[in-house]
Amino acid sequence: MRLQNLGYAVTAHRAQGSTVDTAHAVVHSPEVTRESLYVAMTRGRESNRVYVATDEHHLEEHQHREDLQNTARSILYGILQHPGAELSAHDTITVEQDFWGSLEQLAAEYDTIAQVAGQERWIALLHAGGLTAETIDELVETDAFGILTTELRRLEADGHDIDSLLPRIIQVGGLDEVQDLGSLLRYRLQRITAAYQPAPQRAAGMIAGLVPRATGITDPAMRQALDEREQLMEQRIDALVENLLKQPEPWLTGLDETAPAEGEAAARAIIAYRDRWGVTSSSPLGAVPGDDAQRIDYERAQAQLSAMTSRDGEHAAALLSAPRTSERRL
């Protein structure tokens, strides 16, 4: 019979250098560094377990947020994204350059510029629909306005006639004392556009398969700023594709059988989604997001992913390594 020794609770810092038969780590906050979790999870010879407490939250700035869901997955994800070791000067520069060149940053800049550059146009269309100046001013100040204008750009990029549609859905009425006018208008737009096919000749298309291309921008400086960021986003995806071919990630293995025509665009859209929203899971798109803006991109990428069902059986990696569609036409 093997005798069991008593165990004692220690911090991860004190546990460094120790070895035990079984280790049980308890974590309760994403403030824990990933180095500390590594130490705690490598002390046991026979087994190592981690227990995540989800009924506590020690981040002061989050204590009064009712919408914050403290799940085991979110806490562990936060820990893995929280390095404790100081970076070298070279690594710091590399991290900074990667962030400022990421789709997360470039798409945010593009959306901000597009929203500012197109705001007068959207306001004019809201006026044309019959909304009062006071109602429009209140709408512009809400977060929903940015999401609404992004949806307007998306629908226009698909080929829908927004100049006609937006005033029409406002004139339907039923908007008095609506608490979230932006969300209601976006819902109506989605309903009516789902029933009618867009005109392909009007379609401006998506940047990197994800970001709606802005149209109708007449200011030369704004137009140049948008064009520059569009080019940088496409270059970013090209670089990520190249890295993925050198070091395939687990999520790519689920896309072995794809239809060639849709597969290339869909794979790039998935890469763009993962880079924009920091998805690191082994599934292509990760969990369904709760954030409204991210969910729009998730549904867009999910639609692309659904189009990758097999007909001709071309491997996803082969699609990514092939010349891009625009290049193959040359």
Side-chain angles (χ1 to χ4, degrees):
M1 177 182 293
R2 183 176 179 179
L3 297 177
Q4 299 291 328
N5 294 326
L6 293 175
Y8 298 90
V10 296
T11 63
H13 179 74
R14 291 287 302 274
Q16 293 188 61
S18 301
T19 304
V20 296
D21 291 334
T22 62
H24 303 266
V26 179
V27 297
H28 51 67
S29 168
E31 288 183 325
V32 176
T33 66
R34 63 189 183 196
E35 290 84 1
S36 294
L37 181 63
Y38 173 81
V39 170
M41 291 297 292
T42 53
R43 300 304 91 200
R45 297 187 190 90
E46 299 177 2
S47 72
N48 293 275
R49 295 172 180 264
V50 61
Y51 302 88
V52 184
T54 60
D55 58 344
E56 298 182 50
H57 208 306
H58 301 285
L59 294 177
E60 182 178 348
E61 65 269 24
H62 291 157
Q63 284 183 351
H64 302 294
R65 290 224 359 229
E66 296 180 356
D67 62 327
L68 187 64
Q69 293 185 346
N70 216 28
T71 65
R73 180 184 293 272
S74 68
I75 291 175
L76 289 175
Y77 178 81
I79 293 173
L80 295 177
Q81 301 301 310
H82 182 202
E86 288 190 17
L87 296 176
S88 66
H90 178 270
D91 288 341
T92 300
I93 292 173
T94 300
V95 169
E96 286 294 308
Q97 288 177 335
D98 186 68
F99 170 75
W100 290 106
S102 69
L103 205 73
E104 175 186 1
Q105 179 63 27
L106 292 172
E109 292 176 6
Y110 189 95
D111 285 341
T112 300
I113 296 170
Q115 184 173 341
V116 172
Q119 183 163 309
E120 289 187 7
R121 178 191 174 197
W122 305 133
I123 289 176
L125 290 177
L126 294 170
H127 271 299
L131 293 181
T132 65
E134 182 182 0
T135 299
I136 294 173
D137 289 343
E138 292 177 357
L139 173 60
V140 169
E141 293 299 319
T142 66
D143 293 337
F145 181 71
I147 299 174
L148 172 63
T149 56
T150 300
E151 182 70 8
L152 290 170
R153 284 196 292 112
R154 182 189 72 80
L155 294 172
E156 193 162 56
D158 288 340
H160 289 286
D161 185 2
I162 295 302
D163 290 338
S164 173
L165 282 176
L166 184 55
R168 282 169 53 197
I169 66 166
I170 295 172
Q171 291 164 3
V172 171
L175 302 179
D176 295 338
E177 300 182 1
V178 172
Q179 292 185 349
D180 192 347
L181 179 58
S183 295
L184 177 59
L185 292 177
R186 184 163 65 88
Y187 171 76
R188 287 185 177 181
L189 280 167
Q190 291 173 335
R191 287 290 302 272
I192 193 170
T193 54
Y196 297 96
Q197 290 296 321
Q201 66 272 19
R202 278 201 302 260
M206 298 282 182
I207 303 168
L210 198 69
V211 182
R213 186 172 285 108
T215 58
I217 307 300
T218 57
D219 184 282
M222 291 287 194
R223 184 71 266 171
Q224 180 180 352
L226 290 169
D227 291 343
E228 288 173 352
R229 280 155 182 80
E230 177 176 346
Q231 183 178 9
L232 290 171
M233 281 190 275
E234 293 290 0
Q235 291 174 353
R236 170 71 172 186
I237 301 305
D238 288 342
L240 292 176
V241 166
E242 185 176 348
N243 291 338
L244 192 61
L245 290 170
K246 293 177 181 177
Q247 295 182 325
E249 296 180 7
W251 68 266
L252 191 62
T253 60
L255 309 179
D256 286 345
E257 300 293 329
T258 61
E262 296 93 348
E264 178 189 349
R268 292 176 67 85
I270 295 167
I271 292 170
Y273 176 81
R274 292 174 67 89
D275 191 44
R276 182 173 190 179
W277 297 105
V279 176
T280 58
S281 71
S282 57
S283 61
L285 302 179
V288 178
D291 177 76
D292 200 19
Q294 183 179 351
R295 188 165 59 250
I296 294 171
D297 280 355
Y298 177 89
E299 291 170 354
R300 194 175 302 148
Q302 183 63 52
Q304 292 268 27
L305 183 60
S306 298
M308 296 179 73
T309 53
S310 176
R311 283 200 306 267
D312 299 325
E314 186 171 348
H315 195 282
L319 291 167
L320 293 174
S321 61
R324 293 179 56 189
T325 304
S326 57
E327 297 171 344
R328 290 200 291 264
R329 294 196 185 108
L330 300 179

